[in-house]
Amino acid sequence: MAKMEVKTSLLDDMIGVGDMVLLEPLNEDSFIDNLKKRFDHNEVYTYIGSVVISINPYRSLPIYTPEKVEEYRNRNFYELSPHIFALSDEAYRSLRDQDKDQCILITGESGAGKTEASKLVMSYVAAVCGKGAEVNQVKEQLLQSNPVLEAFGNAKTVRNDNSSRFGKYMDIEFDFKGDPLGGVISNYLLEKSRVVKQPRGERNFHIFYQILSGASEEFLCKLKLERDFSRYNYLGLDSARVNGVDDASNFRTVRNAMQIVGFMDHETQSVFEVVAAVLKLGNIEFKPESRANGLDESKIKDKNELKEICELTGIDQSVLERAFSFRTVEAKQEKVSTTLNVAQAYYARDALAKNLYSRLFSWLVTRINESIKAQTKVRKKVMGVLDIYGFEIFEDNSFEQFIINYCNEKLQQIFIELTLKEEQEEYIREGIEWTHIEYFNNAIICDLIENNQTGILAMLDEECLRPGTVTDDTFLEKLNQVCATHQHFESRMSKCSRFLNDTSLPHSCFRIQHYAGKVMYQVEGFVDKNNDLLYRDLSQAMWKANHSLIKALFPEGNPAKINLKRPPTAGSQFKASVATLMKNLQTKNPNYIRCIKPNDKKAAHIFNEALVCHQIRYLGLLENVRVRRAGYAFRQPYEPCLERYKMLCKQTWPHWRGPARAGVEVLFNELGIPEEEFSFGRSKIFIRNPRTLFKLEDLRKQRLEDLATLIGKIYRGWKCRTRFLLMKKCQIVIASWYRRYSQQKKYQKIKSSAITVQSYIRGWKARKLLRELKHLKRCNEAATVIAAYWHGTQARRELKRLKEEARRKHAVAVIWAFWLGLKVRREYRKFFRANAGRKIYEFTLQRLMQKYFLEMKNKMPSLSPIDKNWPARPYLFLDSTHKELKRIFHLWRCKKYRDQFTDQQKLIYEEKLEASELFKDKKALYPASVGQPFQGAYLEISENPKYKKLKDAVDEKIIIAEVVNKINRANGKAASRIFLLTKNNVLLADQKSGTIKSEVPLGDVTKVSMSSQNDGFFAVHLKEGSEAASKGDFLLSSDHLIEMATKLYRTTLSQTKQKLNIEISDEFLVQFKQDKVCVKFIQGSQKNGNIPTCKRKNNRLLEVAVP
């Protein structure tokens, strides 16, 4: 039987309901309870069909590991438990395999985890797409663009420590294989008002705090900044430090990311200089002054900050100071200059800071796009990731919240349209009858805001462009006239009487009933923020900067390109951007991630039901579920459906041989499910009610338990049979081994007995033989002893006879000796007195000599040739002998010392001996050279790559290589040259390039001249008429003169068999081309130290002053 393939499913081991479409009953309470149950079990993702609901856990979960990436890779969307990786994989495979452009829309309020969700999507796509050096570089650049944009575009708010204060849409471009080629980033409405003012409990943009915390002291000094946050008015101090955020480490991350993305070092420096300038702008303060004509004007209190800003940006200080104090208005051909009061000056300062930072951020996005854009022009597939502001309802809502909520209205509109469109297309594709679905269409709210004639944005633009006095109150009056009857617009000043007594609605506010709920907007600041006005004087001052980046940020400041046309308002620009974004999204297949914030405390394990309920309502999640369930609650392809439920029918279990659809039809007919509860599409089965699906799951669960029981029974039977057969086999093996062991023991016993009997017999035979041999030996020994005794008796008798004969001969000799002695003494007595003195003298001398040599043996000095010690002379008559012995001993120990030398040492001592013979007592420099070893190769020609050219040019062995100074005859100045001595030539080469300047054969060298003083000058005289002598002799200077002259002398003698003439004189002639010059050495002064100096006295005299 073939092994059954087991697959996991969304419905297996489900905590709560993984897909809200299957929730039963469906209401707000059950929806929230299901989310809470899953959240409590760390299940932060839930589906609504193909939509992913993501709840921010406010902590790290082990569900984003590389193992998880591989688990969701190339898997069906509903095959595993809900996860953001499942949606990412589905979008990527649809783009790669079906050639459909994709977009992933991530929405939710601030702090819900939208930015982290976009990072997870991009990291998953980067992990599953292709590999390779170029592809990895593209992926790394795409991923590293996030830290840069977060640093400059994110900030801490009361709801989120890393809140995106801009909208970001990234198009990631892929080739036909699904490998990333590059990307394009679009940004929407940076909250630049945060640069100059932050609400209580919030921070400015991250980059300001990161620079001050993470930059080195040297870098801060270059930017003219100090590390203390309190020094800068634009930085709120109540939330300057954020728990769990390391600004210093993040700064290093941002700099590294900028380098990876492709920013050059000078570009990075320019960016941080602009950031520092913005930070220091907030420290400029103004004081009022009155002019003679009675007009108020403003002056800068402390110009030190202004001076540092100008040094950073390269702007003339007077130009920028005037731009803060005056405003020039141009009308047709006229220019009118007016002074700015203190309030207007502060407005101009803040406007410049906001525009400078906003334009810097736009430049950063453009620069990143240049680095990450696709380099090829082939057709590309595109996956868009939209991370944009969530719906915002604060206590004080202004123009920024109005624009953000308008964008969310448009996203909600396209979400409903695309969801219904996708549902309808699937029904048509599968051949299922489509029924119209009722839903709330927020187009009426979008029209209230964006209508070209009566929309709020149109009214705001019209009020901004209207001549005369324009204020926020006049704008509100206009809204009350035009929008009073609109059912989603509320104001106490409108004609609608039902709001006249609404005390919750102040007179300076209006309220809009958005799809997410009612939001009250304070009208104060709408006109100024929509105008987004920057005085032309400031633009022109920025354009005059020597700072290339700042100059590029303000092209309108160029006097040659003055445009009197009013720039578009912020509202109209954002409206056009949103329209372009919606048009782009409608061309792609949408994928949705709805982010929910579980609590306002940014804490883990806390689920605030009221807050979650509010988000569910304004995200329209219940409405989304109802849209999905209006037709059929669940649909699944036939193959996985049959694979999952085939065990419920005998005809389909364990294998169905026919088409999958036929198998599903047989299965559903066998189970008796009513026909109105399901429909058959072309490739999927559609189930209308979730109860039907849960019934199938219950039947499957019961059937799996029965199958588990059956499998357990079969397994236990197989296990028992296997155990019995194993025991039987073991018994047979044990029995066979025992019989073998028993026979082996019996055999060993018989063998041991046989060996014992054999050993006894062999012992008896050996002992019998031994007795016979011993008897024979005793007989032989008795005969030998008897013969020995007889021979001894004979020998003793002969010895006795010989001794007697010897005694007789000795007696005769003694007697004869005594007789001769007597005769001699009688004769000698006559001459004794005459020769006795001389004999005694000779004997005494002999004894003294013997004593002298014995004492010398014990007093001998060491074997060192330089040891001057020698024992004292004991007797005067031994003086010549004592000196000769000292000489012989010294020669002997010198020979012993010389025998220890190697050939190289012998050569060195021979050279030293030669130098002694040539220069001792002749050259004052000689004593200093005695202790210096002759090295020869002072330049490592073969090892130094600098002299590779010189090494290649010289084929012979180099005897000496040294840097010398060649004396110029014209002025007496020295030039460095490399002096090379080989077996056959003398060479001079340039020290820097290694080029050979002169090459002289040794046969052409006739003489070497030098002074007797303590200098290193010497002249090399060349043979007249030779080719080398065309330029004349060489006058050189070296620190190793003695060594060079000695080696030149020995080498010349070895090669030419002629001694080289060494002339030592304080005055000698040197041949320079056709002239002879006298070189004269004199005693000089100490003003130049110990260095000899050479001066040209006249055409015929060079004078060398030696200290």
Side-chain angles (χ1 to χ4, degrees), residues 701-943:
K701 185 177 180 181
Q702 181 61 43
R703 180 58 178 159
L704 287 176
E705 291 177 358
D706 296 340
L707 289 174
T709 303
L710 177 61
I711 292 170
K713 180 179 71 174
I714 295 174
Y715 172 74
R716 285 191 295 273
W718 170 82
K719 187 175 180 181
C720 289
R721 282 194 304 275
T722 304
R723 187 168 182 273
F724 168 75
L725 293 175
L726 182 61
M727 290 177 66
K728 183 179 179 181
K729 182 179 179 182
C730 292
Q731 185 272 332
I732 294 172
V733 172
I734 292 171
S736 64
W737 274 87
Y738 176 76
R739 287 192 295 271
R740 175 187 173 188
Y741 171 75
S742 178
Q743 293 300 320
Q744 284 178 341
K745 293 290 287 183
K746 185 178 180 181
Y747 167 74
Q748 291 293 340
K749 190 174 182 180
I750 296 173
K751 182 178 179 182
S752 178
S753 301
I755 292 173
T756 302
V757 173
Q758 290 175 355
S759 63
Y760 272 103
I761 293 175
R762 283 195 292 270
W764 173 77
K765 292 177 70 175
R767 285 190 294 275
K768 181 180 179 182
L769 180 60
L770 179 60
R771 283 194 297 270
E772 294 175 354
L773 291 176
K774 283 183 176 180
H775 177 72
L776 181 60
K777 182 180 179 181
R778 280 196 296 271
C779 293
N780 292 335
E781 286 179 351
T784 303
V785 169
I786 294 170
Y789 272 101
W790 168 247
H791 293 314
T793 303
Q794 292 292 332
R796 282 190 293 274
R797 288 177 181 174
E798 183 64 21
L799 177 63
K800 185 177 181 181
R801 186 186 65 79
L802 292 175
K803 282 182 177 181
E804 185 64 27
E805 186 178 351
R807 275 196 300 270
R808 291 174 183 171
K809 289 181 179 180
H810 179 67
V812 173
V814 168
I815 294 169
W816 178 249
F818 271 100
W819 167 245
L820 289 179
L822 178 63
K823 286 177 69 174
V824 168
R825 281 190 297 274
R826 286 177 182 174
E827 292 293 328
Y828 182 73
R829 199 173 286 126
K830 299 175 184 179
F831 306 101
F832 176 75
R833 294 181 184 274
N835 297 325
R838 186 173 61 82
K839 292 287 184 179
I840 293 170
Y841 174 74
E842 290 177 355
F843 176 78
T844 303
L845 283 180
Q846 184 178 2
R847 293 299 298 164
L848 289 175
M849 290 290 291
Q850 183 180 9
K851 182 180 178 182
Y852 167 71
F853 283 118
L854 290 175
E855 288 178 353
M856 283 293 292
K857 176 182 177 183
N858 298 325
K859 295 181 181 180
M860 294 297 288
S862 67
L863 295 180
S864 173
I866 61 174
D867 189 356
K868 302 295 184 179
N869 295 324
W870 186 251
R873 181 191 62 198
Y875 307 106
L876 182 62
F877 72 92
L878 293 175
D879 183 60
S880 60
T881 305
H882 194 69
K883 290 180 179 180
E884 184 65 17
L885 282 175
K886 180 179 179 181
R887 185 184 69 81
I888 294 171
F889 177 77
H890 181 68
L891 292 176
W892 173 78
R893 68 181 177 182
C894 286
K895 181 180 182 304
K896 294 286 287 184
Y897 183 75
R898 287 197 304 274
D899 291 343
Q900 300 174 5
F901 290 168
T902 61
D903 294 339
Q904 185 177 0
Q905 290 175 323
K906 288 180 180 179
L907 180 62
I908 292 173
Y909 280 106
E910 287 175 3
E911 290 178 347
K912 284 287 184 179
L913 183 61
E914 194 80 57
S916 175
E917 294 174 355
L918 292 173
F919 302 108
K920 188 175 181 181
D921 300 329
K922 300 177 184 178
K923 177 71 175 171
L925 188 65
Y926 170 74
S929 70
V930 173
Q932 298 177 356
F934 288 175
Q935 298 181 12
Y938 290 95
L939 300 178
E940 297 178 348
I941 301 294
S942 59
E943 297 180 3

Side-chain angles (χ1 to χ4, degrees), residues 48-295:
I48 301 178
S50 59
V51 178
V52 175
I53 301 175
S54 171
I55 303 180
N56 192 346
Y58 286 116
R59 62 193 178 99
S60 297
L61 295 176
I63 58 174
Y64 308 108
T65 60
E67 292 75 16
K68 276 288 181 182
V69 171
E70 289 301 319
E71 183 179 345
Y72 280 86
R73 187 173 185 175
N74 295 327
R75 301 295 286 269
N76 185 276
F77 186 75
Y78 296 103
E79 193 172 340
L80 299 172
S81 59
H83 202 290
I84 194 172
F85 287 169
L87 180 135
S88 305
D89 187 73
E90 183 75 13
Y92 175 71
R93 286 192 292 115
S94 297
L95 175 138
R96 183 192 62 192
D97 302 335
Q98 302 176 19
D99 203 17
K100 292 182 180 178
D101 287 349
Q102 304 288 317
C103 65
I104 298 177
L105 307 182
I106 306 172
T107 57
E109 74 172 47
S110 179
K114 301 185 300 299
T115 302
E116 289 302 317
S118 67
K119 291 181 186 177
L120 290 171
V121 170
M122 292 179 64
S123 63
Y124 179 85
V125 173
V128 300
C129 62
K131 300 292 187 289
E134 187 174 345
V135 173
N136 289 338
Q137 181 183 1
V138 173
K139 291 192 292 187
E140 187 68 15
Q141 287 185 334
L142 290 174
L143 293 176
Q144 290 300 325
S145 64
N146 281 325
V148 179
L149 295 179
E150 283 185 18
F152 287 87
N154 288 23
K156 177 197 178 298
T157 65
V158 293
R159 297 185 175 185
N160 186 1
D161 290 344
N162 188 32
S163 176
S164 297
R165 307 318 298 162
F166 71 103
K168 182 180 75 172
Y169 177 73
M170 174 183 279
D171 268 335
I172 307 173
E173 300 173 337
F174 298 83
D175 61 9
F176 69 96
K177 303 190 300 294
D179 294 340
L181 297 173
V184 178
I185 299 174
S186 302
N187 66 301
Y188 301 95
L189 192 65
L190 177 74
E191 188 189 13
K192 57 185 177 183
S193 62
R194 181 172 293 271
V195 174
V196 299
K197 184 179 180 182
Q198 306 91 40
R200 181 175 296 276
E202 298 190 3
R203 292 206 315 177
N204 210 323
F205 292 102
H206 293 327
I207 189 62
F208 296 114
Y209 304 93
Q210 291 174 357
I211 288 181
L212 297 181
S213 299
S216 64
E217 293 294 341
E218 180 184 358
F219 191 64
L220 287 178
C221 186
K222 287 182 180 179
L223 299 181
K224 305 185 184 302
L225 296 176
E226 298 178 20
R227 205 173 291 281
D228 185 8
F229 293 164
S230 63
R231 287 276 292 109
Y232 304 100
N233 297 331
Y234 279 166
L235 301 184
L237 298 180
D238 54 342
S239 299
R241 303 287 181 185
V242 181
N243 293 333
V245 176
D246 186 351
D247 288 319
S249 175
N250 290 340
F251 178 70
R252 292 189 290 272
T253 302
V254 169
R255 295 202 68 171
N256 183 58
M258 293 178 76
Q259 184 177 4
I260 293 174
V261 169
F263 283 82
M264 307 298 290
D265 290 342
H266 71 274
E267 291 177 326
T268 304
Q269 179 70 21
S270 298
V271 168
F272 290 131
E273 287 172 352
V274 174
V275 173
V278 171
L279 200 56
K280 297 182 75 64
L281 274 174
N283 291 350
I284 295 179
E285 296 181 348
F286 302 92
K287 60 183 179 181
E289 284 192 5
S290 297
R291 303 181 68 181
N293 56 8
L295 296 176

Side-chain angles (χ1 to χ4, degrees), residues 392-663:
E392 292 188 347
I393 305 176
F394 298 145
E395 291 182 6
D396 297 326
N397 301 288
S398 187
F399 179 73
E400 290 84 3
Q401 283 69 44
F402 175 75
I403 291 295
I404 289 171
N405 293 342
Y406 161 61
C407 179
N408 278 272
E409 287 284 358
K410 295 295 290 183
L411 287 174
Q412 177 68 11
Q413 185 181 22
I414 196 173
F415 170 70
I416 295 296
E417 289 177 359
L418 293 178
T419 301
L420 289 173
K421 181 181 177 182
E422 181 185 4
E423 192 81 4
Q424 184 177 4
E425 286 178 352
E426 184 172 19
Y427 283 178
I428 294 172
R429 187 169 56 249
E430 293 293 330
I432 304 296
E433 183 179 354
W434 168 259
T435 56
H436 181 70
I437 300 172
E438 294 293 335
Y439 65 95
F440 169 70
N441 191 343
N442 67 337
I444 187 173
I445 304 175
C446 296
D447 185 68
L448 169 65
I449 298 173
E450 67 181 4
N451 188 282
N452 291 331
Q453 282 77 35
T454 61
I456 295 176
L457 287 176
M459 295 299 102
L460 183 58
D461 287 348
E462 184 178 329
E463 193 68 13
C464 290
L465 298 175
R466 180 174 64 81
T469 304
V470 178
T471 65
D472 296 321
D473 294 333
T474 60
F475 165 62
L476 183 59
E477 289 177 7
K478 191 167 190 115
L479 286 183
N480 290 332
Q481 294 174 6
V482 177
C483 306
T485 58
H486 199 287
Q487 58 181 338
H488 291 273
F489 179 84
E490 302 174 5
S491 173
R492 290 186 71 178
M493 303 297 292
S494 68
K495 298 177 183 179
C496 187
S497 59
R498 59 195 175 99
F499 301 117
L500 293 177
N501 298 321
D502 188 354
T503 57
S504 65
L505 183 60
H507 290 84
S508 62
C509 299
F510 66 91
R511 189 160 52 204
I512 295 178
Q513 187 175 347
H514 289 281
Y515 78 93
K518 292 184 178 182
V519 183
M520 183 174 66
Y521 299 100
Q522 291 184 352
V523 76
E524 181 183 357
F526 262 64
V527 173
D528 284 341
K529 292 176 180 178
N530 189 52
N531 271 327
D532 194 19
L533 187 62
L534 179 67
Y535 297 151
R536 183 174 290 112
D537 301 76
L538 290 171
S539 298
Q540 292 176 351
M542 292 297 105
W543 188 84
K544 292 177 182 178
N546 292 329
H547 198 282
S548 58
L549 177 56
I550 293 180
K551 191 167 186 174
L553 296 180
F554 293 88
E556 75 276 10
N558 188 351
K561 298 181 180 179
I562 293 179
N563 186 2
L564 298 180
K565 184 178 179 181
R566 192 181 185 95
T569 62
S572 61
Q573 291 180 27
F574 188 73
K575 178 182 173 182
S577 299
V578 170
T580 303
L581 176 64
M582 298 302 121
K583 185 177 179 180
N584 189 1
L585 295 179
Q586 287 176 343
T587 62
K588 296 179 174 62
N589 184 47
N591 302 270
Y592 300 96
I593 301 174
R594 300 293 205 168
C595 298
I596 292 178
K597 181 168 63 173
N599 59 78
D600 279 328
K601 298 179 180 179
K602 295 179 279 190
H605 307 293
I606 299 177
F607 190 90
N608 188 326
E609 296 187 9
L611 179 63
V612 173
C613 178
H614 172 69
Q615 295 173 80
I616 289 172
R617 288 174 182 173
Y618 81 66
L619 288 173
L621 298 183
L622 274 174
E623 195 169 58
N624 189 8
V625 177
R626 292 190 182 102
V627 168
R628 289 299 300 256
R629 289 180 56 167
Y632 293 89
F634 183 77
R635 74 268 342 246
Q636 191 175 26
Y638 291 121
E639 289 79 4
C641 180
L642 181 62
E643 184 67 31
R644 184 167 184 82
Y645 301 112
K646 63 182 179 179
M647 72 285 297
L648 302 180
C649 177
K650 294 182 179 180
Q651 300 178 43
T652 58
W653 178 258
H655 297 290
W656 173 256
R657 302 299 180 185
R661 173 171 177 166

